[in-house]
Amino acid sequence: QRIEAGEIVLRIDGRSVSPEQDPTEFLNGPRERNVALTVRSLQGVEREVVLRPISHFQARQLLYERWLSLIHI
């Protein structure tokens, strides 16, 4: 599952969030867990997306691999 462009995060693990809040309050924590996000699409449809957090190092590695795949076209 993934969050699509334009979707708005309404809740993180059942807790409501707003644009004024820092989402790291809800997202920081152990990596070995699932995070449930309730999102609303541009059409107004709500759904739940379950994600597994990764470390900053893992995210950088994925971005680097993606970049390599793009420059070797």
Side-chain angles (χ1 to χ4, degrees):
Q1 293 180 343
R2 62 188 312 160
I3 299 172
E4 301 297 332
E7 288 186 314
I8 299 171
V9 176
L10 304 172
R11 289 181 289 286
I12 300 173
D13 286 335
R15 296 171 23 196
S16 295
V17 296
S18 68
E20 297 82 32
Q21 290 177 294
D22 180 359
T24 59
E25 293 176 34
F26 304 99
L27 297 173
N28 284 343
R31 285 192 309 262
E32 300 301 319
R33 66 185 175 103
N34 290 332
V35 176
L37 305 177
T38 303
V39 297
R40 180 184 305 133
S41 70
L42 293 173
Q43 295 76 26
V45 177
E46 290 186 20
R47 67 188 181 98
E48 187 170 285
V49 179
V50 178
L51 304 175
R52 181 73 123 179
I54 61 173
S55 70
H56 178 72
F57 176 78
Q58 289 170 311
R60 286 181 48 148
Q61 188 65 33
L62 289 170
L63 289 170
Y64 179 70
E65 290 170 10
R66 173 78 172 136
W67 176 74
L68 285 178
S69 72
L70 293 174
I71 64 169
H72 290 114
I73 296 176

